[in-house]
């Protein structure tokens, strides 16, 4: 007999098969029940080791399943893990996911890559290649997607194209995080205080309030602050600091077959923008010094020397609303997911990474996003299972961009670049050409551009899974997606005699508008074989798709040619049009093997993949400003493996390794070498070839229920960077991150931990840019240094 929806939800929240009678009787109980990928030992009980590795229940395939049962490469992390690992925001999950890289300490997500697939555009007319979801609501906008993780239920990071399962723009993979929900019949609360170096202070807590037998509320709050850790030789406070606070109110109504969950979340964030340090060697640096004279960068290699004339801000106010309704019709469950997000974002940075006023960047952005999905999932016990659904989204975005620099420095640099003559400034340069020059009021060139976008789309999908017998099943999934974008760009002429020759290279007469529509049908084929109760072998073919868009910093003429050279008065009536670019597509093949070994004391997960990635959306300097075009293709392959082992009653071990090999071709339009074919065959330089992790988790009982706990975490990335040009001076060396945590778990409801993150004080950067013109090559985002702190947790049941 089918359990009621209320009973099933209670079983799911308990999260393990031995607590769910219905789950024990299902086919899932015959499969491996362990967390996979980077499901670290921390998901085990914190007070005592289990004889077997516990599972993490996920919903990546639209059903509640053990992560090890799912024929996908997936990292499953419990909410307890995200809290104990001091994960700051959603991008910090990168470190725990094999084959995923590109964390940065700002609110941009354009550096995130999954198996090497990532976006190349930081504007607002395109979308990321790695999709972010929170409680099934898509969050794909720079400045909006990066939210703090507190009071979490679980996290799922899926590698490979996930458009069929998750929808929009998850061509590389998907991050799906789920906050803790209000739980009927449960009276519990917790509060945690974390204090560390450099004014590091975090307070997090939640309380679950059962109102009656069918209704409950949950309140959660979070506050975090820390002083900067990057010394700025130019003066002023240390950089890369933050202050964040958030509040969440959720409710749950369970009444027999009906489930209704609501969520209201608000977060405010004030922190530093990206921090850059110019690279004092190479052709771009040599040209800069030849034009402007010797430039001395103060401080060490991982310090900053940044003028910050336009300020240092990465501030956001985020409001999120969610409504989930489920109804059990016996034969199937109908699910409705409604989400809404509103954001205000303000960002500034000194992009050139020098003490000179060469390129300061500012972005002010507002937007809102509405999403609705309906899904019907079969509940039958026969050989055929299925689900089908449809979704709709609408986004409105309004962004103001600003590029700022000293007029005299611009004249001195470009006067030398074009004439080979050293000029003292604009008056000197203009005199050389026989023209007078009038400086602006503050001696600065400020170029602005405004973007307004209205994007909407819909999708429909269906998936069938047929079990031929207890060991063999196959799945077929089809999704149709359609995206429609209305885009408008307005670039006024700057109030400077220099005119619009530099950042945008054009000015418009009012808004220039464009509209494009893209659609695609994606296919997913899956074959799964279970050679025994604990084994799973799978093979899949998946088509990935990411919609096209518009470049935020370029314009085309009536013939579709790039506009530049100081063009003014560009108008809609004269045939000018925004810079539209086409979708990206990928064909991905994957085989995997999962098994539970040594009587359930070990879990093994292996995956090998091969993909062809075409029409990359990349930034190209082609006659105008920074256009976005479709360039080239990439052939990639790799292997990923994890092993999670309970060694004895006191220790367990986690090992992970990933290897990636990529080859890009068709790069002539973006190659910065004298020979435009010199970049052919380059790898995707932002993705390390090798990532690895090793974690030892310890738990020593002291009697009476108390225990000493500890964990040693080691993460490794091989070298990366250099650009498609392979410049040695812009390569980032391999690095190893070591963290040590030691704690005491009382027999009652409290625990204390002392930690040393980045124990060896390893130095590295988040990434690099080869750049060009007046902006030299640079590194960005120095790594947070060794941080020692203590954390105290108290909970009530």
């Amino acid at each position: 007999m089918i359990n009621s929806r209320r009973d099933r939800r209670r079983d799911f929240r308990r999260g393990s098969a031995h607590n769910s009678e219905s789950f024990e009787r299902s086919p899932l109980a015959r499969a491996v029940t362990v967390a996979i990928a980077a499901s670290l030992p921390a998901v085990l009980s914190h007070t005592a080791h289990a004889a077997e590795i516990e599972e993490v229940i996920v919903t990546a395939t639209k059903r509640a399943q053990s992560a090890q049962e799912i024929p996908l490469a997936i990292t499953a992390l419990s909410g307890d893990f995200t809290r104990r690992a001091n994960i700051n925001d959603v991008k910090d999950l990168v470190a725990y996911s094999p084959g995923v890289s590109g964390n940065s300490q700002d609110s941009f997500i354009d550096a995130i890559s999954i198996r090497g697939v990532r976006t190349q555009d930081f504007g607002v007319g395109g979308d990321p290649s790695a999709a972010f979801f929170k409680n099934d609501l898509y969050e794909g906008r720079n400045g909006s997607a990066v939210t703090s993780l507190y009071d979490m239920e679980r996290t799922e990071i899926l590698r490979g194209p996930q458009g069929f399962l998750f929808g929009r723009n998850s061509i590389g993979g998907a991050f799906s995080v789920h906050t803790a929900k209000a739980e009927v019949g449960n009276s519990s609360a917790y509060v945690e205080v974390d204090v560390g170096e450099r004014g590091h202070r975090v307070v997090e807590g939640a309380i679950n309030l059962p109102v009656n037998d069918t209704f409950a509320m949950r309140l959660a709050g979070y506050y975090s602050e820390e002083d900067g850790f990057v010394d700025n030789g130019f003066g002023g406070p240390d950089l890369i600091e933050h202050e964040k606070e958030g509040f969440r109110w959720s409710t749950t109504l369970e009444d027999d077959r009906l489930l209704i969950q609501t969520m209201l979340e608000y977060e405010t964030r004030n922190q530093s923008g990206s921090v850059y340090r110019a690279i004092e060697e190479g052709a771009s640096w040599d040209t800069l010094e030849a034009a402007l004279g010797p430039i001395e960068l103060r401080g060490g290699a991982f310090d900053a020397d940044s003028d910050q004339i336009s300020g240092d801000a990465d501030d956001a106010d985020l409001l999120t609303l969610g409504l989930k309704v489920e109804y059990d019709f016996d034969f199937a469950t109908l699910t409705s997911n409604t989400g809404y997000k509103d954001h205000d974002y303000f960002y500034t940075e000194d992009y050139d990474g020098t003490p000179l006023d060469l390129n300061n960047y500012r972005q002010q952005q507002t937007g809102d996003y509405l999403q609705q999905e309906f899904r019907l999932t079969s509940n039958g016990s026969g050989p055929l299972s299925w689900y089908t659904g449809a979704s709709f989204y609408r986004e409105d975005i309004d962004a103001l961009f600003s590029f700022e620099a000293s007029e005299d420095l611009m004249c001195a640099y470009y006067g030398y670049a074009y004439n080979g003559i050293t000029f003292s400034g604009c008056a000197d340069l203009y005199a050389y050409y026989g023209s007078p020059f009038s400086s602006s009021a503050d001696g600065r060139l400020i170029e602005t551009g405004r973007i307004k976008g209205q994007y909407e789309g819909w999708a429909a999908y269906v998936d069938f899974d047929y079990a031929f017998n207890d060991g063999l099943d196959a799945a077929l999934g089809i999704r149709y997606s359609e995206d429609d974008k209305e885009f408008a760009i307005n670039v006024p002429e700057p109030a400077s005699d220099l005119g619009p020759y530099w950042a945008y290279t054009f000015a418009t007469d009012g808004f220039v508008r464009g509209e494009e529509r893209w659609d695609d049908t994606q296919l997913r084929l899956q074959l799964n074989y279970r050679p025994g109760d604990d084994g799973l072998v799978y093979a899949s073919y998946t088509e990935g798709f990411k919609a096209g868009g518009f470049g935020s910093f370029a314009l085309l003429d009536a013939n579709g040619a790039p506009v530049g050279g100081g063009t003014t008065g560009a108008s809609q009536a004269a045939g000018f049009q925004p810079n539209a670019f086409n979708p990206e597509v990928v064909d991905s093949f994957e085989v995997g093997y999962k098994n539970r070994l040594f009587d359930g004391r070990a879990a093994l997960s292996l995956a090998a993949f091969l993909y062809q990635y075409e029409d990359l959306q990349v930034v190209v300097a082609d006659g105008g400003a920074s256009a976005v075009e479709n360039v080239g293709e990439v052939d990639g392959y790799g292997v990923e493996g994890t092993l999670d082992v309970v060694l004895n009653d006191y220790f367990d071990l986690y090992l992970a390794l990933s290897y990636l090999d990529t080859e890009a071709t068709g790069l002539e339009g973006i190659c910065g070498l004298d020979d435009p074919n010199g970049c052919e065959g380059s790898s995707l330089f932002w993705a390390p070839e090798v990532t690895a992790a090793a974690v030892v988790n310890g738990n020593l009982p002291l009697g009476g229920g108390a225990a000493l706990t500890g964990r040693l975490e080691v993460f490794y990335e091989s070298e990366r960077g250099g650009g498609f040009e392979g410049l040695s001076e812009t390569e980032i060396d391999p690095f190893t991150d070591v963290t040590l945590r030691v704690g005491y778990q009382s027999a009652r409801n409290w625990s204390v931990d002392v930690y040393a993150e980045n124990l060896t004080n390893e130095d590295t950067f988040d990434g690099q840019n080869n750049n060009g013109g007046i902006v030299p090559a640079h590194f960005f985002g120095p790594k947070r240094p060794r941080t020692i702190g203590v954390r105290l947790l108290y909970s009530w049941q």
Side-chain angles (χ1 to χ4, degrees), residues 645-709:
V645 186
V646 176
L647 298 174
N648 54 37
D649 291 341
Y650 309 113
F651 293 98
D652 51 62
L653 172 67
Y654 167 80
L655 298 172
L657 180 68
S658 70
Y659 171 80
L660 174 68
D661 185 278
T662 57
E663 182 177 342
T665 56
L667 305 178
E668 299 89 345
I670 59 174
C671 186
L673 300 175
D674 292 336
D675 178 6
N677 294 312
C679 297
E680 294 299 285
S682 298
S683 64
L684 298 178
F685 59 89
W686 51 77
E689 187 176 79
V690 176
T691 65
V695 180
V696 179
N697 196 50
N699 189 295
L700 178 63
L702 298 178
L708 287 178
T709 62

Side-chain angles (χ1 to χ4, degrees), residues 403-524:
F403 299 86
E404 307 173 11
S406 162
E407 290 177 321
D408 283 337
L409 291 177
M410 295 284 286
C411 289
Y413 177 85
Y414 285 104
Y416 174 83
Y418 292 134
N419 300 284
I421 300 173
T422 301
F423 296 94
S424 61
C426 291
D428 191 14
L429 174 64
Y430 272 57
Y432 175 80
Y433 285 107
S435 302
F437 177 80
S438 298
S439 176
S440 63
D442 59 0
R444 305 183 76 215
L445 171 64
I446 300 177
E447 299 180 76
T448 62
R450 187 176 182 184
I451 301 296
K452 288 186 176 183
Q454 187 176 96
Y455 315 141
E456 61 183 40
W458 66 277
Y461 56 87
V462 62
D463 178 87
F464 299 99
D465 190 305
Y466 187 83
F468 300 99
N469 51 49
D470 285 345
L472 182 66
D473 67 272
L476 167 66
I478 302 173
R479 170 183 283 264
Y480 173 80
S481 302
E482 184 176 294
D483 293 85
D484 189 307
K485 293 186 177 182
E486 297 180 14
F487 181 90
I489 179 172
N490 181 29
V491 180
E493 191 169 348
S496 169
D497 279 3
L498 292 182
Y501 283 87
W502 317 103
Y504 285 93
T505 74
F506 62 87
T508 65
D509 182 10
F511 279 99
V512 176
R513 304 177 186 275
E515 181 177 2
E516 294 285 345
R517 176 175 296 173
W518 302 273
D519 62 85
D520 188 72
T521 300
Q522 302 118 57
L523 179 70
R524 187 185 68 145

Side-chain angles (χ1 to χ4, degrees), residues 234 288 292 295 305 307 309 350 352 354-360 409:
F234 191 84
L288 189 67
L292 305 181
I295 305 170
D305 193 0
D307 57 90
I309 287 178
D350 176 19
D352 57 88
T354 76
L356 305 177
D357 184 13
L358 299 178
N359 191 311
N360 283 267
L409 291 177

Side-chain angles (χ1 to χ4, degrees), residues 4 8 24 30 131 205 253 291 397 403 473 518 541 577 610 615 694:
S4 71
R8 287 190 208 161
E24 284 178 345
R30 299 193 297 272
L253 172 67
I397 192 82
F403 299 86
D473 67 272
W518 302 273
Y541 165 73
Q577 55 191 301
L610 173 71
D615 295 328

